[in-house]
Amino acid sequence: MKHRIVVLGAGYAGAFAAGNLARRLSPADTEITVVNAVPDFVERMRLHQLAIGQDLAFRKLADVFAGTGVRLRLARVTGLDPERRTVAVTAEDGDGELAYDTLLYALGSSVAHHGVPGAAEYAFDVTGLSSALRLRERLAGLGEGGTVLVVGEGLTGIEAATEFAESRPDLSVALAARGELGARLSPKARRHLRRAFDRLGITVHEHTGIEAVEPTRAIAAGGRPVPADVTVWSAGFAVHPIAAAGGLEVAETGQIVVDRTMRSVSHPDVYAAGDCVYAIGENGRPLPMSCASAGFTNMQATAAIIARLTDSEVPATGLKYYGNHISLGRRDAIFQMVDGDVRSKSWYLGGRTAARLKSGVLKGAGWSIAHPTFGMPKRKRRLTTTPDRAGVKAAA
C-alpha cells in the first residue's frame, strides 16, 4: 500500500510543502492529500489590500495542483487523533475522516482578541479571506470623514493603516500602539516610518492599550474613548486549539513543539510548519510568526519527511530570521535587517526601492505557489520500506 501523506492547510507553508513533496517523491509509493477549507490560495500578506477595495486575482487550488498528483480535499479540519492517525473533517457532503501515515500540520494562525471585551463582536481583521471581505464591505460603506482605528503596532497594523490611508484619503485613519511606533526599528527607519505616517495623515495614539471595543468607538486605558466607525484588530495572532486538543505536545502559545527537523517531539509521524510550529531558530529563540518563518520551516519539514522515507540523511535548513519588510502603501516600504539577537541593525532600505523589493517578494511567493512542481525531476525518489500501518516503520 502507498504511504499516505496528509498536509493540513494550503497557505504559504502547506501549499509549497505539498508541491515539494510531489516533486521529489515517487507516486508509485506515496499518496499526497492536501486539506483546505477554501478553494482558493489566499495571499494572506495582501489581505489588507483586498480589504480596502483592491482587486486581487485568486488562484484556484484545483488549478494549482492539477497534474501534480496531489489530491485536494476541500474541508474544514475539526479534530485530530494522532494515536489512531486520523484527521476529522467537515465538508459540504458531510463529516468524514482521513487516515495518514505521515502528517504535515500547517493550519496557520488567526486573529487573537486576548479576551478584550467587544473585540470579537465589533472589531474587524485581515487574517483570513472571509474576515477581509467582511471588512471590505464595511469600509466601502464608509463615507467621507469616516473614522478607522487600527489596533496594534506590529507589521500587520502598520501595513493596514498605511494602505487604508493611501487608498482612501477621505477617511480619518488612526493607529493605537501599546508602546512607541516602530520601537523595534533602527532610529533611521523609525524616522522614515513617522514621516510616512505624517505624509499619509495617520494619527498615532502611542502608549495606548485598547481595553474594550464598541460599535462606534474603542475604549483606551482609563476609560478614554477613541472614535472609530471601524476598528481593525491587529494586536496579535493565535493558533487553533486542534493540535492541543488532539494530544500533541504544545507550547504555552498552543504551537506544536518540534525538534530541529520540524518533527513533533510527542508524535514522530507528525511534522509542523508555518505559524502553528514552535521552532527554535539558530539564535536559540522561537521563530516569529511570519511568511519568512513559514518558508524556513516548511522546507525543513519536507526535507526531513523525504529523507526519512527514503532512508537518507536529514539535511539542516537554515532557521535564521533576517529582517522585517514593511509595506507603507503601494509606493513606500521599509526593509529592516536584524542581527542574530533579532535587534535592528543601523542600516535599512526605504522608499520606492524597498516597495519594489516587497512587490517582488509577493509576486515571487505567488508564482512559487502557482507552480508547485516547477523543476520536477525526471527521476523521483522511491521509498526504501513499505509503510507499516501500525506505525513502527513510519515512525522510525
Side-chain angles (χ1 to χ4, degrees):
M1 296 178 67
K2 294 184 179 182
H3 188 90
R4 301 162 299 182
I5 301 175
V6 174
V7 180
L8 302 183
Y12 290 105
F16 187 87
N20 196 19
L21 291 168
R23 182 168 61 244
R24 299 171 63 188
L25 291 174
S26 173
D29 302 318
T30 55
E31 178 183 289
I32 302 170
T33 302
V34 175
V35 183
N36 202 60
V38 297
D40 303 312
F41 171 70
V42 178
E43 292 187 77
R44 184 169 175 176
M45 292 190 294
R46 300 185 65 189
L47 286 180
H48 57 291
Q49 299 172 20
L50 177 69
I52 199 58
Q54 296 181 30
D55 293 326
L56 304 182
F58 291 103
R59 296 176 176 86
K60 293 292 183 182
L61 290 171
D63 296 334
V64 167
F65 293 122
T68 66
V70 175
R71 300 181 178 186
L72 175 63
R73 178 71 182 273
L74 293 179
R76 182 169 56 88
V77 178
T78 57
L80 174 65
D81 187 341
E83 306 305 326
R84 294 177 52 239
R85 291 186 179 181
T86 58
V87 177
V89 298
T90 296
E92 289 185 355
D93 57 355
D95 298 340
E97 192 173 77
L98 289 175
Y100 65 84
D101 298 301
T102 296
L103 181 72
L104 178 54
Y105 191 109
L107 289 179
S109 62
S110 58
V111 65
H113 295 115
H114 304 298
V116 173
E121 294 81 5
Y122 303 118
F124 296 78
D125 67 84
V126 291
T127 60
L129 178 59
S130 60
S131 59
L133 289 173
R134 176 172 164 262
L135 174 58
R136 179 187 177 106
E137 182 179 1
R138 181 69 181 93
L139 291 175
L142 280 185
E144 183 175 354
T147 56
V148 178
L149 174 67
V150 178
V151 179
E153 69 274 26
L155 306 189
T156 302
I158 291 173
E159 292 196 338
T162 52
E163 193 76 46
F164 296 168
E166 180 181 87
S167 299
R168 290 285 305 275
D170 60 312
L171 299 179
S172 177
V173 180
L175 182 142
R178 280 192 168 275
E180 179 184 356
L181 179 67
R184 296 182 180 179
L185 300 175
S186 64
K188 291 182 180 179
R190 196 178 310 138
R191 288 194 292 271
H192 185 115
L193 176 63
R194 288 187 175 276
R195 287 196 298 270
F197 268 59
D198 290 342
R199 170 174 54 83
L200 293 169
I202 302 171
T203 301
V204 181
H205 303 283
E206 292 186 309
H207 307 288
T208 301
I210 298 301
E211 298 186 346
V213 178
E214 298 178 358
T216 58
R217 65 178 186 174
I219 306 299
R224 179 170 64 89
V226 181
D229 294 319
V230 176
T231 298
V232 180
W233 197 265
S234 59
F237 302 97
V239 299
H240 201 285
I242 286 177
L248 296 178
E249 183 171 335
V250 300
E252 290 184 1
T253 57
Q255 295 168 293
I256 298 171
V257 179
V258 296
D259 62 15
R260 179 60 178 76
T261 69
M262 303 302 119
R263 194 183 206 179
S264 165
V265 298
S266 62
H267 293 79
D269 49 2
V270 176
Y271 293 78
D275 286 355
C276 61
V277 63
Y278 187 81
I280 304 302
E282 294 176 7
N283 59 4
R285 301 179 181 179
L287 289 175
M289 293 184 183
S290 68
C291 186
S293 297
F296 301 146
T297 55
N298 94 68
M299 286 189 290
Q300 179 61 80
T302 53
I305 291 171
I306 293 166
R308 290 189 172 114
L309 291 180
T310 58
D311 197 22
S312 305
E313 183 177 352
V314 179
T317 299
L319 299 176
K320 184 177 180 180
Y321 195 75
Y322 292 95
N324 297 315
H325 205 159
I326 314 169
S327 294
L328 305 174
R330 297 294 83 221
R331 297 180 294 276
D332 194 4
I334 291 173
F335 183 61
Q336 176 68 72
M337 298 290 289
V338 299
D339 61 20
D341 293 320
V342 201
R343 293 176 300 192
S344 294
K345 295 181 178 181
S346 59
W347 178 88
Y348 88 101
L349 180 67
R352 289 183 179 272
T353 301
R356 286 193 289 268
L357 179 59
K358 179 63 179 284
S359 177
V361 169
L362 293 174
K363 290 179 180 178
W367 189 93
S368 66
I369 296 299
H371 302 80
T373 54
F374 177 75
M376 184 182 291
K378 294 181 179 179
R379 296 183 61 186
K380 298 189 179 185
R381 302 178 70 174
R382 298 293 301 270
L383 271 61
T384 55
T385 58
T386 301
D388 184 352
R389 300 303 187 211
V392 176
K393 294 181 180 178

